[in-house]
């Protein structure tokens, strides 16, 4: 049975908007799905809308899977729908959008890591060109990015980092030189959209056996433009990092550092690199941040602040240990905003009682139960690397089986907007660019009708939320909804939904 589609404008519910700042959700789309249906993947095309796609689980006459592709504009109005028949053993591995084109990468079977079928789709028309990227050796893929008319793939081969460049025009494949090395670790691949270049961040040991971050810049034809390892201090391992685009004078990197031979971080660093290789790097212990511990309860927070002050009076620093993942470094008019999230892995015991050899026995096994997130941080630096302000965003021990970004950030006008969705609510923290104003707003995810309600109010699944375009985000997920209006045609329905979301500082509701 084909899916039923409902495009709804939430502002037509007739509910009065508050006059103060608020989260607004002007548009919503619902697609009715079955319990066993595959969820849609949502891909932002910025101001050109959204593309959603999935394996419909239907088959054509040859037994191939029929995949659905739907394009929506920024008002969540459907512009086109396409279906493609793909081999039944294709496994989705990656997808990306850039300048009007979408690339979707598959793996040809669960045990075949040498053949990667790829679709290159026009966002305007849905016209598609198929590619096959054939590897000589299998690569454990972790990154997939479009850069101009090429795609860049990164991962591991024999526990060493490798980055592969595929030209969609010539259909030629090559491995980037200088990356496959014994002690290296691939941190990220970041495309620079304005110049059709890309940066590769590699974690590696320097000659002093201290872990540092090396920035390697390439053009879209895989030519190496720059290779610059950061000159870190003797006892500071650089663990994670993000980088800004080159602004004509410098590039900035920021991330976490920690003690040698440890994966735990103790603070943040920010560094600048000039084209001639000149560098400047500064470090900030977590105790140097004003609001890093503000997610804690008041009594615990005050105890830590007193311990920090006692150490400071002795000209020492308190040593904190956090697992912190860095997601973004945003350049904003001479300021640089770093976004990261603190987390820890959660393990539980599995108990089994029984009898063995006529005697009672009990087994105790540990199993991984996902990641718990304590808080996100937003930290602002100036061009000299000086700390301007910092804020923490409590995440209430949100959990996820995969280590992924929960909080997304948008810089608009004179505010930094942090937003995430958890337990069917959207939570937003607003920071003025001077760092002085701090406001937290919470709103339920808007449903289509006043008489709608969630069937399972305690459902704690995380709905995905992403920055979209301008001041807008979008939130998406699957909901079981019942309608209290007995005259409604849709009293019970399971839907895949997308809501358009923004923070309205003026309370206008627009």
């Amino acid at each position: 049975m084909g899916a039923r589609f409902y495009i709804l404008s939430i502002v037509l519910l007739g509910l009065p908007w508050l006059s103060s700042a608020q989260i607004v959700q002007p548009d919503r789309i619902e697609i009715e799905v079955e319990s066993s249906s595959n969820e849609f993947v949502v891909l932002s095309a910025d101001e050109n809308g959204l593309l959603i796609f999935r394996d419909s689980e239907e088959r054509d006459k040859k037994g191939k899977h029929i995949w659905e592709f739907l394009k929506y504009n920024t008002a969540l109005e459907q512009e086109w729908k396409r279906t493609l028949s793909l081999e039944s053993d294709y496994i989705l591995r990656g997808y990306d959008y850039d300048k009007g084109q979408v690339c979707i990468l598959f793996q040809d079977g669960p045990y075949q890591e040498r053949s990667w079928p790829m679709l290159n789709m026009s966002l305007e028309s849905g016209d598609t060109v198929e590619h096959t990227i054939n590897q000589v050796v299998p690569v454990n893929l972790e990154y997939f990015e479009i850069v101009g008319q090429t795609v860049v793939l990164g991962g591991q081969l024999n526990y060493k980092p490798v980055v592969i460049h595929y030209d969609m025009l010539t259909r030629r494949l090559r491995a980037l030189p200088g990356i496959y090395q014994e002690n290296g670790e691939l941190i990220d691949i970041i495309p620079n959209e304005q110049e059709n270049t890309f940066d590769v961040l590699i974690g590696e040991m320097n000659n002093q056996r201290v872990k540092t971050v090396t920035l390697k810049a390439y053009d879209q034809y895989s030519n190496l433009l720059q290779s610059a390892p950061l000159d870190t201090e003797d006892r500071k391992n650089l663990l994670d990092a993000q980088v800004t685009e080159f602004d004509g004078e410098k590039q900035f990197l920021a991330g976490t550092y920690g003690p040698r031979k440890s994966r735990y971080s103790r603070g943040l660093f920010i560094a600048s690199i000039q084209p001639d290789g000149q560098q400047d790097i500064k470090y900030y212990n977590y105790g140097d941040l004003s609001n890093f511990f503000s997610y804690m309860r008041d009594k615990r927070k005050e105890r830590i602040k007193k311990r920090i002050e006692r150490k400071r009076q002795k000209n020492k620093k308190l040593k904190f240990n956090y697992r912190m993942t860095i997601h973004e470094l945003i350049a904003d008019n001479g300021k640089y905003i770093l976004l990261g999230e603190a987390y820890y892995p959660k393990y539980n015991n599995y108990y089994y009682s029984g009898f063995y050899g006529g005697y009672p026995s009990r087994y105790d096994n540990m199993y991984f139960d996902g990641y718990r997130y304590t808080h996100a941080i937003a930290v602002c630096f100036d061009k000299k690397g000086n700390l301007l302000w910092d804020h923490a965003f409590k995440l209430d021990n949100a959990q996820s089986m995969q280590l992924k970004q929960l909080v997304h950030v948008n810089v608009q006008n004179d505010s930094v907007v942090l937003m995430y969705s958890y337990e069917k609510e959207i939570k937003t923290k607003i920071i003025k660019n001077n760092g002085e104003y701090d406001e937290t707003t919470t709103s339920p995810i808007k449903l289509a009708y006043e008489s709608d309600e969630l069937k399972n109010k305690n459902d704690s699944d995380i709905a995905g939320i992403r920055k979209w375009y301008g001041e807008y985000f979008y939130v998406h997920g699957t909901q079981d909804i019942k309608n209290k209006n007995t005259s409604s045609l849709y009293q019970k329905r399971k839907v895949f939904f997308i809501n358009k979301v923004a923070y309205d500082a003026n309370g206008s509701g627009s």
Side-chain angles (χ1 to χ4, degrees):
M1 182 181 69
R4 285 185 289 182
F5 298 79
Y6 315 100
I7 302 177
L8 312 121
S9 182
I10 296 175
V11 294
L12 298 180
L13 294 177
L15 297 176
W17 295 104
L18 300 176
S19 59
S20 60
Q22 60 187 293
I23 297 171
V24 295
Q25 302 173 64
D27 299 303
R28 174 181 171 101
I29 182 174
E30 290 186 359
I31 302 176
E32 189 171 341
V33 294
E34 299 178 357
S35 298
S36 59
S37 299
N38 292 322
E39 283 201 10
F40 283 95
V41 175
V42 184
L43 176 59
S44 168
D46 304 323
E47 67 278 357
N48 292 318
L50 298 171
L51 178 72
I52 70 172
F53 60 94
R54 68 169 178 176
D55 181 355
S56 70
E57 298 186 342
E58 296 182 4
R59 306 290 187 269
D60 66 8
K61 294 180 180 180
K62 295 182 180 180
K64 293 185 177 182
H65 285 218
I66 298 176
W67 284 67
E68 298 175 332
F69 299 84
L70 301 98
K71 164 66 170 59
Y72 293 89
N73 61 22
T74 55
L76 293 182
E77 300 166 335
Q78 184 179 319
E79 293 187 335
W80 55 255
K81 177 181 179 180
R82 300 285 184 272
T83 59
L84 291 176
S85 295
L86 303 177
E87 295 294 339
S88 60
D89 54 355
Y90 278 11
I91 299 171
L92 180 65
R93 292 303 305 271
Y95 47 90
D96 194 22
Y97 166 80
D98 181 54
K99 298 181 179 68
Q101 64 178 330
V102 174
C103 286
I104 303 172
L105 188 74
F106 299 90
Q107 182 175 306
D108 189 4
Y111 307 109
Q112 175 58 274
E113 295 181 348
R114 297 187 182 184
S115 177
W116 293 328
M118 187 182 74
L119 305 178
N120 181 214
M121 179 178 290
S122 165
L123 188 73
E124 181 179 1
S125 64
D127 294 341
T128 302
V129 177
E130 297 187 19
H131 295 257
T132 300
I133 304 174
N134 289 313
Q135 284 290 335
V136 177
V137 291
V139 174
N140 182 14
L141 190 65
E142 297 173 337
Y143 300 94
F144 178 69
E145 303 286 348
I146 302 176
V147 182
Q149 290 301 311
T150 68
V151 292
V152 181
L153 308 96
Q156 295 183 55
L157 175 61
N158 298 326
Y159 303 101
K160 301 175 186 177
V162 61
V163 177
I164 299 163
H165 174 273
Y166 177 74
D167 190 316
M168 289 185 284
L169 296 179
T170 65
R171 300 189 179 233
R172 291 181 178 176
L173 184 73
R174 65 170 298 195
L176 297 186
I179 291 179
Y180 186 71
Q181 52 191 302
E182 192 69 38
N183 62 359
E185 176 186 356
L186 185 58
I187 296 176
D188 208 348
I189 299 173
I190 302 113
N192 302 317
E193 298 179 359
Q194 301 300 323
E195 300 179 353
N196 280 345
T197 63
F198 63 97
D199 297 317
V200 179
L201 296 180
I202 301 289
E204 57 185 352
M205 293 292 181
N206 61 18
N207 294 332
Q208 289 73 42
R209 304 303 298 170
V210 177
K211 186 177 179 182
T212 188
V213 174
T214 296
L215 167 66
K216 292 179 179 289
Y218 297 85
D219 65 19
Q220 66 170 318
Y221 307 107
S222 75
N223 298 312
L224 181 63
L225 304 176
Q226 183 184 32
S227 180
L230 290 179
D231 298 325
T232 184
E233 293 182 4
D234 183 37
R235 296 187 178 182
K236 287 185 172 66
N237 270 343
L238 304 187
L239 302 175
D240 195 7
Q242 285 291 305
V243 63
T244 63
E245 293 191 21
F246 180 63
D247 64 4
E249 298 178 2
K250 300 177 181 179
Q251 268 189 292
F252 288 83
L253 291 87
T256 57
Y257 74 87
R260 296 180 65 170
K261 299 180 181 180
S262 175
R263 301 294 296 181
Y264 288 93
S265 65
R266 286 185 176 168
L268 306 174
F269 76 88
I270 181 167
S272 62
I273 300 178
Q274 297 182 22
D276 61 3
Q278 184 177 341
Q279 300 180 15
D280 182 44
I281 185 168
K282 292 186 178 180
Y283 303 90
Y284 296 92
N285 181 280
Y286 289 135
D288 296 329
L289 307 183
S290 301
N291 297 296
F292 184 85
F293 305 99
S294 62
Y295 74 97
M296 297 178 175
R297 294 181 178 178
D298 290 341
K299 289 185 178 180
R300 185 184 176 196
K301 179 174 60 179
E302 290 304 316
R303 286 198 302 268
I304 289 181
K305 284 187 174 181
K306 290 178 181 179
R307 289 171 58 196
I308 292 173
E309 185 58 33
R310 288 197 296 267
K311 286 284 187 178
R312 185 175 288 126
Q313 291 175 0
K314 298 178 182 179
N315 200 27
K316 296 181 179 180
K317 290 187 176 182
L318 204 59
K319 296 178 180 178
F320 300 98
N321 291 299
Y322 275 85
R323 293 179 186 266
M324 181 74 67
T325 180
I326 299 300
H327 294 301
E328 296 183 66
L329 179 61
I330 300 171
D332 178 43
N333 295 321
K335 298 177 183 178
Y336 301 89
I337 300 165
L338 181 69
L339 178 68
E341 293 173 342
Y343 69 95
Y344 61 94
K346 177 70 173 177
Y347 294 90
N348 283 328
N349 290 320
Y350 173 76
Y351 296 103
Y352 171 78
S353 298
F355 287 86
Y356 180 77
Y359 296 94
S361 60
R362 180 176 179 178
Y363 300 94
D364 182 3
N365 292 315
M366 297 287 291
Y367 68 93
F368 176 66
D369 193 32
Y371 297 100
R372 303 294 189 271
Y373 296 77
T374 57
H375 63 298
I377 58 169
V379 184
C380 185
F381 306 94
D382 65 15
K383 274 197 168 185
K384 295 182 178 180
N386 298 314
L387 178 65
L388 299 179
W389 54 257
D390 70 277
H391 282 277
F393 191 1
K394 186 177 180 181
L395 297 182
D396 301 311
N397 282 318
Q399 63 185 67
S400 173
M401 292 304 294
Q402 295 180 328
L403 190 59
K404 60 183 181 180
Q405 183 175 352
L406 296 190
V407 176
H408 290 259
V409 61
N410 191 8
V411 180
Q412 58 187 66
N413 300 325
D414 61 344
S415 299
V416 176
V417 179
L418 304 175
M419 189 176 292
Y420 90 110
S421 176
Y422 188 63
E423 293 186 339
K424 307 309 178 188
E425 291 184 326
I426 298 171
K427 298 185 178 182
T428 304
K429 187 160 190 172
I430 310 301
I431 306 163
K432 293 296 182 181
N433 267 345
N434 57 17
E436 296 176 356
Y437 181 70
D438 173 21
E439 179 181 71
T440 301
T441 305
T442 301
S443 177
I445 294 176
K446 291 284 186 181
L447 303 179
Y449 307 103
E450 290 185 71
S451 52
D452 278 348
E453 64 180 29
L454 296 178
K455 291 174 64 177
N456 185 359
K457 295 182 179 180
N458 297 321
D459 188 353
S460 61
D461 289 343
I462 300 174
I465 194 166
R466 296 287 186 274
K467 182 183 181 301
W468 190 359
Y469 71 98
E471 71 270 28
Y472 291 103
F473 298 77
Y474 64 89
V475 59
H476 65 90
T478 303
Q479 293 174 327
D480 288 296
I481 298 173
K482 60 181 179 181
N483 192 289
K484 296 177 291 184
N485 185 353
T486 57
S487 64
S488 172
L489 294 176
Y490 309 113
Q491 292 184 20
K492 294 182 180 180
R493 64 190 191 273
K494 184 180 183 70
V495 300
F496 174 81
F497 74 93
I498 302 174
N499 280 21
K500 186 175 181 178
V501 184
Y503 174 77
D504 181 11
N506 300 317
S508 61
S510 60

